[in-house]
Amino acid sequence: MTRRLVDAATGLATLVLLALVWELYKWLGPADGWSIGEIRVLPRTSDLAMPHTWEILGRLADPLTAAPDAPSLAGAVLAAGAFSFGIALLSWVLGVTVGILLALGMQRLRVVESAVLPLVILSQTIPLIALAPLVRGWGSRLYLGPVEWEPWMSVAVIASYLAFFPVAVGALRGLQSPDTIHVELMRSYGAGWWATLVRLRLPASVPHLLPALRLAAANAVVGTVVAEVSTGIPGGLGRMILEFANFASSDPAKPWAPLLGAVLLGLVVAGLVALIGLPLSRFRRVEVSA
Amino acid sequence: MTIQTAPQREEHPRGAVAVEVTGATRVFQGSAGTVTALDGVDLTVGAGEFVSLIGPSGCGKSTLLRLIADLDRPTAGTIEVFGRTAEQARLAHDYGIAFQQAGLLPWRTVRANIELPLAMHGTGRAARRERADHLIELVGLTEFADHYPDQLSGGMQQRVAIARAVAEEPSLLLMDEPFGALDEMTRERLQGELVRICAETRAAVVFVTHSIPEAVFLSDRVVVMSARPGQIREVVDIDLTRAARSDEGLREDAAYFAAVTRVREALHHGSPTPAQGVELR
Ligand SMILES: Nc1ncnc2c1ncn2[C@@H]1O[C@H](COP(=O)(O)OP(=O)(O)OP(=O)(O)O)[C@@H](O)[C@H]1O
Ligand SMILES: [Mg+2]
């Protein structure tokens, strides 16, 4: 328990440190940034480009727009974050399911592994930006009976496309991780594929699977936000980032708010995945040989 | 479980023969050529009999054991276990096995590791627990029942592995240098425990070892093998009663030393230099 407290304190200290670095650079850095030829390698430090951290935070409490009944900026960001969170969570579940099923298939049959693994790796070389409009286009032409293809489903598909990859690779490594001695022990018990899976391969895969789930969560969040940006569907943080970018000169602190929202989203999802690891701690014990 | 007090050579419930190896040959095809690990090996192990395999490193002891366990298939020859094929015997859970490494599942406690074969073969929870408790006591790990393998010493892990191997009271125990990685004191104590367990379960044992004293102390017969190709050179009968064996004084007995000498001579017979990999203590 104390370790968890220390971890939380360390995380908080890192945030404070980050804010300090931001302010320090803003204070000391050249107002016009620093360029090599045409390329600016360090950002401008003006109040437009880099508002003070307290201004960014303070802006959150202010109303979204000048309209009299406008909600606070923080409220709007949280609502958008909740929308994106829903999609990210769904994408994560989808990605993890597909990833584990693929890994099981690859572990079960060598042929599947040599056929599918290259495709799995190849799949990640297609840039998300190229994929997003395609998926959106296909989705709108899908006929699903009474269910209508909603734009957010396209986002979920794209995000799960990013999320399944680390799971497929990590789970496969985990399922293949048992030592020969353990595999032969199972064989000596006359255990078939299923019994060996349940008693040996799944428990042994936990240390490989947990980091993969964490990566999948990060990918699901990034995938959701980027897919929202590139498909432009309303409601989530991605669209908010697009819209608020227009306020860069009139309300410089405002565009940073949805970014903070995305960071928070990432933290929440990472925290949830960390919770999964808690009851599985005994599977992370390592074998020490005599 | 009842302690068997009957004389050891009475009619065994599983019939007279535990293992029947006939003309077993195993040739490994490797990129560096072919290795004949076993060449026409014949071996019969009676029910309840303790047979040790000894011989220089690479003479095919492990290979022979793995063939009996159906973890590997012979290139030629047949292997029968209690009158069935090795595969049928494996699927019928006829044997328990222990390797040089303990091979415990790290996420299972001592108790859960011992219960593993029982759980996999559908023994009920209560019966499993009772059996595990008995075995934990037998190998002297009562205080460690709920510890995980990484919290145990090597010798303790090996004791758990032996308890696991005998958990289902198999009629056949296959052991590949189970005490190989242990210090001499632990080793002698575990040998004593093994003798006790075998007396209790009346299991036939095929035991691979590099130690002549160990083979003599434990066995009814010692099978001496030679390498390249792996063959049985000689079978030495050890006529020490099991009652005498459970007595530590045996290790100082004259009959014991005579048997050690006979095995040693069988090992060296025909080879001018001492066989490699065999401890001549
Ligand atoms: N899977 C394998 N592939 C190729 N060759 C093998 C394989 N297993 C064993 N061998 C070869 O078979 C021979 C016998 O090996 P085995 O492991 O049975 O010897 P051993 O008597 O148990 O030796 P040790 O006392 O060192 O354990 C060796 O020459 C070894 O190189
Ligand atoms: Mg060996």
Side-chain angles (χ1 to χ4, degrees):
Chain A
M1 207 61 228
T2 35
R3 240 200 67 202
R4 215 148 288 142
L5 278 178
V6 170
D7 284 352
T10 315
L12 216 66
T14 313
L15 279 182
V16 172
L17 194 72
L18 221 67
L20 274 179
V21 169
W22 175 283
E23 291 299 337
L24 204 67
Y25 174 72
K26 185 173 163 52
W27 183 39
L28 297 177
D32 211 27
W34 192 58
S35 308
I36 301 176
E38 292 289 288
I39 308 153
R40 198 192 306 280
V41 290
L42 285 178
R44 278 189 287 242
T45 56
S46 65
D47 281 348
L48 275 185
M50 289 181 71
H52 281 292
T53 43
W54 52 85
E55 273 165 20
I56 296 172
L57 291 177
R59 179 65 185 84
L60 285 172
D62 298 337
L64 181 59
T65 59
D69 58 346
S72 74
L73 180 61
V77 167
L78 283 183
F83 179 86
S84 296
F85 173 76
I87 298 181
L89 199 65
L90 183 72
S91 318
W92 184 80
V93 171
L94 260 173
V96 167
T97 311
V98 171
I100 288 181
L101 287 179
L102 274 176
L104 286 175
M106 289 191 280
Q107 193 278 317
R108 181 86 171 89
L109 292 172
R110 253 279 128 73
V111 202
V112 179
E113 186 186 342
S114 35
V116 172
L117 196 56
L119 288 183
V120 167
I121 291 165
L122 205 67
S123 74
Q124 299 302 302
T125 62
I126 304 171
L128 196 61
I129 305 290
L131 200 69
L134 278 181
V135 172
R136 188 161 195 191
W138 292 330
S140 60
R141 261 176 271 130
L142 272 183
Y143 180 72
L144 300 168
V147 191
E148 189 145 351
W149 185 263
E150 307 265 357
W152 65 262
M153 293 180 182
S154 303
V155 175
V157 167
I158 295 163
S160 55
Y161 180 84
L162 280 193
F164 92 95
F165 177 70
V167 179
V169 173
L172 178 63
R173 268 194 62 189
L175 291 173
Q176 290 176 337
S177 68
D179 297 331
T180 317
I181 189 172
H182 290 142
V183 174
E184 292 194 335
L185 188 73
M186 291 294 143
R187 185 174 154 85
S188 83
Y189 294 151
W193 181 76
W194 179 252
T196 307
L197 179 71
V198 172
R199 300 284 182 181
L200 177 63
R201 295 196 185 275
L202 280 181
S205 72
V206 168
H208 297 265
L209 202 53
L210 287 179
L213 294 182
R214 229 172 289 140
L215 271 177
N219 283 5
V221 169
V222 171
T224 301
V225 173
V226 172
E228 280 174 351
V229 169
S230 51
T231 59
I233 73 149
L237 286 172
R239 176 67 170 260
M240 190 175 257
I241 290 171
L242 270 186
E243 285 172 357
F244 285 11
N246 300 327
F247 295 90
S249 49
S250 60
D251 191 355
K254 195 170 172 183
W256 294 97
L259 292 181
L260 283 183
V263 171
L264 186 69
L265 179 59
L267 288 178
V268 168
V269 173
L272 286 180
V273 175
L275 286 183
I276 298 175
L278 289 184
L280 297 177
S281 62
R282 77 188 167 107
F283 295 108
R284 301 168 83 173
R285 287 180 173 275
V286 285
E287 187 180 19
V288 283
S289 52
Chain B
M1 156 155 280
T2 54
I3 305 278
Q4 294 294 334
T5 48
Q8 55 158 313
R9 285 276 192 251
E10 59 151 2
E11 191 60 27
H12 196 277
R14 297 297 306 272
V17 176
V19 180
E20 181 84 69
V21 178
T22 322
T25 299
R26 179 66 170 101
V27 181
F28 289 106
Q29 311 276 5
S31 48
T34 60
V35 179
T36 307
L38 286 177
D39 185 25
V41 168
D42 297 311
L43 177 68
T44 305
V45 179
E49 191 184 17
F50 199 119
V51 171
S52 286
L53 307 179
I54 197 166
S57 188
C59 71
K61 305 179 294 290
S62 299
T63 305
L64 181 54
L65 199 81
R66 291 168 54 80
L67 291 182
I68 299 171
D70 190 41
L71 296 176
D72 192 10
R73 299 274 157 86
T75 316
T78 58
I79 288 141
E80 279 186 14
V81 177
F82 293 110
R84 313 188 244 207
T85 66
E87 181 178 19
Q88 285 167 338
R90 173 173 64 82
L91 294 176
H93 322 139
D94 268 352
Y95 68 81
I97 193 163
F99 306 96
Q100 183 166 8
Q101 259 89 45
L104 306 177
L105 297 183
W107 53 85
R108 284 178 162 256
T109 60
V110 166
R111 172 178 281 114
N113 262 292
I114 295 175
E115 284 184 11
L116 177 67
L118 301 163
M120 296 202 55
H121 297 147
T123 308
R125 184 180 285 264
R128 231 157 54 200
R129 195 180 167 91
E130 192 183 330
R131 179 77 182 135
D133 280 339
H134 172 78
L135 286 166
I136 289 168
E137 201 189 311
L138 193 68
V139 295
L141 289 174
T142 312
E143 289 153 59
F144 297 91
D146 296 313
H147 283 53
Y148 285 91
D150 59 332
Q151 298 168 320
L152 303 181
S153 73
M156 290 157 120
Q157 291 181 31
Q158 203 61 41
R159 278 190 266 170
V160 178
I162 289 166
R164 180 180 65 183
V166 300
E168 294 187 283
E169 298 191 51
S171 315
L172 174 63
L173 257 181
L174 304 174
M175 310 185 106
D176 194 348
E177 299 185 48
F179 308 144
L182 305 181
D183 68 275
E184 197 64 16
M185 263 171 59
T186 314
R187 191 167 174 155
E188 286 193 2
R189 213 181 52 247
L190 288 192
Q191 287 167 4
E193 273 170 23
L194 183 60
V195 166
R196 229 159 13 94
I197 292 170
C198 289
E200 196 181 298
T201 62
R202 289 200 308 156
V205 186
V206 181
F207 189 93
V208 174
T209 177
H210 273 150
S211 156
I212 299 173
E214 179 169 273
V216 170
F217 179 75
L218 292 170
S219 314
D220 299 315
R221 282 191 294 151
V222 176
V223 174
V224 180
M225 297 179 69
S226 60
R228 275 169 287 275
Q231 283 175 331
I232 293 180
R233 174 181 287 165
E234 203 172 323
V235 178
V236 181
D237 279 302
I238 313 286
D239 21 70
L240 304 163
T241 60
R242 263 193 198 186
R245 238 175 238 125
S246 32
D247 170 20
E248 279 300 309
L250 171 72
R251 291 184 205 271
E252 274 102 59
D253 194 89
Y256 169 75
F257 279 118
V260 167
T261 308
R262 271 187 295 141
V263 173
R264 184 169 297 161
E265 278 168 359
L267 262 171
H268 293 206
H269 167 80
S271 62
T273 49
Q276 288 171 348
V278 173
E279 295 161 33
L280 299 175
R281 287 171 286 173

Short mmCIF file of all heavy atoms in Angstrom, two decimals, chain B residues 218-247:
data_model
loop_
_atom_site.label_atom_id
_atom_site.label_comp_id
_atom_site.label_asym_id
_atom_site.label_seq_id
_atom_site.Cartn_x
_atom_site.Cartn_y
_atom_site.Cartn_z
N LEU B 218 19.42 -47.29 -3.32
CA LEU B 218 18.00 -47.27 -3.61
C LEU B 218 17.48 -48.51 -4.33
O LEU B 218 16.32 -48.87 -4.18
CB LEU B 218 17.68 -46.04 -4.48
CG LEU B 218 17.82 -44.66 -3.84
CD1 LEU B 218 17.71 -43.59 -4.90
CD2 LEU B 218 16.77 -44.46 -2.77
N SER B 219 18.35 -49.19 -5.10
CA SER B 219 17.82 -50.07 -6.14
C SER B 219 17.76 -51.54 -5.78
O SER B 219 18.50 -52.03 -4.94
CB SER B 219 18.67 -49.95 -7.40
OG SER B 219 18.92 -48.60 -7.67
N ASP B 220 16.85 -52.23 -6.46
CA ASP B 220 16.87 -53.68 -6.50
C ASP B 220 17.84 -54.14 -7.58
O ASP B 220 18.52 -55.14 -7.43
CB ASP B 220 15.47 -54.22 -6.80
CG ASP B 220 14.47 -53.82 -5.74
OD1 ASP B 220 14.82 -53.94 -4.55
OD2 ASP B 220 13.37 -53.38 -6.10
N ARG B 221 17.85 -53.40 -8.67
CA ARG B 221 18.78 -53.71 -9.75
C ARG B 221 19.37 -52.42 -10.28
O ARG B 221 18.69 -51.40 -10.36
CB ARG B 221 18.07 -54.43 -10.90
CG ARG B 221 17.80 -55.91 -10.61
CD ARG B 221 17.36 -56.61 -11.87
NE ARG B 221 16.07 -56.11 -12.32
CZ ARG B 221 15.70 -56.12 -13.60
NH1 ARG B 221 16.54 -56.56 -14.52
NH2 ARG B 221 14.51 -55.66 -13.94
N VAL B 222 20.64 -52.45 -10.65
CA VAL B 222 21.28 -51.29 -11.26
C VAL B 222 21.62 -51.64 -12.71
O VAL B 222 22.31 -52.63 -12.97
CB VAL B 222 22.56 -50.87 -10.50
CG1 VAL B 222 23.25 -49.72 -11.22
CG2 VAL B 222 22.22 -50.49 -9.07
N VAL B 223 21.09 -50.87 -13.64
CA VAL B 223 21.36 -51.10 -15.06
C VAL B 223 22.51 -50.19 -15.47
O VAL B 223 22.42 -48.97 -15.38
CB VAL B 223 20.11 -50.77 -15.90
CG1 VAL B 223 20.43 -50.86 -17.38
CG2 VAL B 223 18.98 -51.72 -15.52
N VAL B 224 23.62 -50.81 -15.86
CA VAL B 224 24.81 -50.04 -16.23
C VAL B 224 24.82 -49.90 -17.75
O VAL B 224 24.76 -50.89 -18.48
CB VAL B 224 26.09 -50.75 -15.75
CG1 VAL B 224 27.32 -49.94 -16.16
CG2 VAL B 224 26.04 -50.93 -14.24
N MET B 225 24.89 -48.66 -18.23
CA MET B 225 24.82 -48.41 -19.67
C MET B 225 26.15 -47.90 -20.19
O MET B 225 26.98 -47.39 -19.45
CB MET B 225 23.71 -47.40 -19.97
CG MET B 225 22.33 -47.91 -19.59
SD MET B 225 21.02 -46.71 -19.91
CE MET B 225 21.01 -46.67 -21.69
N SER B 226 26.35 -48.06 -21.50
CA SER B 226 27.55 -47.52 -22.13
C SER B 226 27.12 -46.62 -23.28
O SER B 226 26.03 -46.76 -23.82
CB SER B 226 28.44 -48.65 -22.64
OG SER B 226 27.72 -49.42 -23.59
N ALA B 227 28.02 -45.72 -23.66
CA ALA B 227 27.65 -44.68 -24.63
C ALA B 227 28.10 -45.03 -26.04
O ALA B 227 28.97 -45.86 -26.24
CB ALA B 227 28.25 -43.36 -24.22
N ARG B 228 27.48 -44.34 -26.98
CA ARG B 228 27.86 -44.37 -28.40
C ARG B 228 28.10 -45.76 -28.93
O ARG B 228 29.25 -46.14 -29.08
CB ARG B 228 29.07 -43.46 -28.63
CG ARG B 228 28.63 -42.01 -28.85
CD ARG B 228 29.79 -41.07 -28.83
NE ARG B 228 30.30 -40.88 -27.48
CZ ARG B 228 29.79 -39.98 -26.63
NH1 ARG B 228 28.82 -39.21 -26.98
NH2 ARG B 228 30.27 -39.86 -25.42
N PRO B 229 27.14 -46.50 -29.32
CA PRO B 229 25.72 -46.19 -29.15
C PRO B 229 25.26 -46.56 -27.75
O PRO B 229 25.89 -47.39 -27.09
CB PRO B 229 25.05 -47.08 -30.19
CG PRO B 229 25.96 -48.28 -30.26
CD PRO B 229 27.35 -47.79 -30.01
N GLY B 230 24.17 -45.96 -27.28
CA GLY B 230 23.67 -46.24 -25.94
C GLY B 230 23.15 -47.67 -25.84
O GLY B 230 22.23 -48.06 -26.53
N GLN B 231 23.82 -48.44 -25.01
CA GLN B 231 23.40 -49.83 -24.83
C GLN B 231 23.49 -50.21 -23.35
O GLN B 231 24.17 -49.53 -22.58
CB GLN B 231 24.32 -50.76 -25.64
CG GLN B 231 24.00 -50.75 -27.12
CD GLN B 231 24.99 -51.56 -27.92
OE1 GLN B 231 26.16 -51.69 -27.54
NE2 GLN B 231 24.55 -52.09 -29.05
N ILE B 232 22.81 -51.30 -23.00
CA ILE B 232 22.94 -51.81 -21.64
C ILE B 232 24.16 -52.71 -21.58
O ILE B 232 24.27 -53.66 -22.33
CB ILE B 232 21.67 -52.56 -21.21
CG1 ILE B 232 20.50 -51.56 -21.12
CG2 ILE B 232 21.88 -53.26 -19.88
CD1 ILE B 232 19.20 -52.19 -20.71
N ARG B 233 25.08 -52.37 -20.70
CA ARG B 233 26.31 -53.17 -20.63
C ARG B 233 26.13 -54.32 -19.65
O ARG B 233 26.54 -55.44 -19.90
CB ARG B 233 27.47 -52.28 -20.20
CG ARG B 233 28.74 -53.07 -19.95
CD ARG B 233 29.87 -52.17 -19.51
NE ARG B 233 30.37 -51.37 -20.62
CZ ARG B 233 31.14 -50.31 -20.47
NH1 ARG B 233 31.48 -49.91 -19.26
NH2 ARG B 233 31.57 -49.64 -21.50
N GLU B 234 25.50 -54.02 -18.54
CA GLU B 234 25.39 -55.05 -17.51
C GLU B 234 24.27 -54.67 -16.54
O GLU B 234 23.98 -53.49 -16.35
CB GLU B 234 26.72 -55.12 -16.74
CG GLU B 234 26.95 -56.44 -16.04
CD GLU B 234 28.36 -56.53 -15.45
OE1 GLU B 234 29.30 -56.02 -16.07
OE2 GLU B 234 28.47 -57.11 -14.35
N VAL B 235 23.64 -55.69 -15.99
CA VAL B 235 22.62 -55.42 -14.96
C VAL B 235 23.11 -56.03 -13.65
O VAL B 235 23.41 -57.22 -13.59
CB VAL B 235 21.26 -56.02 -15.35
CG1 VAL B 235 20.24 -55.76 -14.26
CG2 VAL B 235 20.79 -55.44 -16.68
N VAL B 236 23.26 -55.23 -12.63
CA VAL B 236 23.79 -55.70 -11.35
C VAL B 236 22.64 -55.84 -10.36
O VAL B 236 21.92 -54.87 -10.09
CB VAL B 236 24.84 -54.71 -10.81
CG1 VAL B 236 25.39 -55.21 -9.48
CG2 VAL B 236 25.94 -54.50 -11.82
N ASP B 237 22.45 -57.05 -9.86
CA ASP B 237 21.43 -57.26 -8.83
C ASP B 237 21.97 -56.79 -7.49
O ASP B 237 23.10 -57.10 -7.12
CB ASP B 237 21.08 -58.75 -8.74
CG ASP B 237 20.10 -59.15 -9.82
OD1 ASP B 237 19.01 -58.55 -9.87
OD2 ASP B 237 20.45 -60.02 -10.65
N ILE B 238 21.17 -56.04 -6.80
CA ILE B 238 21.57 -55.59 -5.46
C ILE B 238 20.68 -56.34 -4.48
O ILE B 238 19.47 -56.12 -4.46
CB ILE B 238 21.34 -54.09 -5.29
CG1 ILE B 238 21.87 -53.30 -6.48
CG2 ILE B 238 21.91 -53.61 -3.96
CD1 ILE B 238 23.35 -53.18 -6.57
N ASP B 239 21.27 -57.25 -3.68
CA ASP B 239 20.38 -57.98 -2.79
C ASP B 239 20.45 -57.45 -1.37
O ASP B 239 20.96 -58.07 -0.47
CB ASP B 239 20.66 -59.49 -2.85
CG ASP B 239 22.05 -59.74 -3.38
OD1 ASP B 239 23.02 -59.44 -2.65
OD2 ASP B 239 22.17 -60.16 -4.53
N LEU B 240 19.97 -56.24 -1.24
CA LEU B 240 19.80 -55.67 0.09
C LEU B 240 18.30 -55.57 0.30
O LEU B 240 17.59 -55.15 -0.59
CB LEU B 240 20.42 -54.27 0.16
CG LEU B 240 21.89 -54.18 -0.24
CD1 LEU B 240 22.26 -52.75 -0.53
CD2 LEU B 240 22.77 -54.73 0.87
N THR B 241 17.84 -55.97 1.45
CA THR B 241 16.39 -55.90 1.66
C THR B 241 15.97 -54.46 1.87
O THR B 241 16.75 -53.61 2.28
CB THR B 241 15.99 -56.72 2.90
OG1 THR B 241 16.67 -56.15 4.01
CG2 THR B 241 16.33 -58.17 2.73
N ARG B 242 14.71 -54.19 1.56
CA ARG B 242 14.22 -52.82 1.73
C ARG B 242 14.19 -52.42 3.19
O ARG B 242 14.38 -51.26 3.53
CB ARG B 242 12.82 -52.70 1.13
CG ARG B 242 12.97 -52.14 -0.26
CD ARG B 242 11.72 -51.68 -0.84
NE ARG B 242 11.98 -51.58 -2.27
CZ ARG B 242 11.16 -51.09 -3.15
NH1 ARG B 242 9.98 -50.68 -2.78
NH2 ARG B 242 11.48 -51.03 -4.41
N ALA B 243 13.98 -53.42 4.04
CA ALA B 243 13.96 -53.12 5.48
C ALA B 243 15.32 -52.57 5.88
O ALA B 243 15.41 -51.56 6.59
CB ALA B 243 13.64 -54.38 6.26
N ALA B 244 16.37 -53.19 5.36
CA ALA B 244 17.71 -52.74 5.69
C ALA B 244 17.94 -51.33 5.17
O ALA B 244 18.64 -50.52 5.77
CB ALA B 244 18.74 -53.69 5.07
N ARG B 245 17.29 -51.04 4.02
CA ARG B 245 17.51 -49.75 3.37
C ARG B 245 16.95 -48.58 4.18
O ARG B 245 17.50 -47.49 4.16
CB ARG B 245 16.87 -49.77 2.00
CG ARG B 245 17.89 -49.50 0.94
CD ARG B 245 17.27 -49.63 -0.41
NE ARG B 245 18.00 -50.64 -1.13
CZ ARG B 245 17.45 -51.68 -1.68
NH1 ARG B 245 16.17 -51.86 -1.61
NH2 ARG B 245 18.20 -52.55 -2.31
N SER B 246 15.85 -48.85 4.83
CA SER B 246 15.28 -47.73 5.59
C SER B 246 16.12 -47.45 6.84
O SER B 246 15.88 -46.50 7.55
CB SER B 246 13.82 -48.03 5.95
OG SER B 246 13.65 -49.41 6.15
N ASP B 247 17.12 -48.28 7.05
CA ASP B 247 18.01 -48.08 8.18
C ASP B 247 19.27 -47.37 7.69
O ASP B 247 19.94 -47.83 6.78
CB ASP B 247 18.35 -49.46 8.77
CG ASP B 247 19.46 -49.39 9.79
OD1 ASP B 247 19.70 -48.28 10.31
OD2 ASP B 247 20.08 -50.44 10.04
#
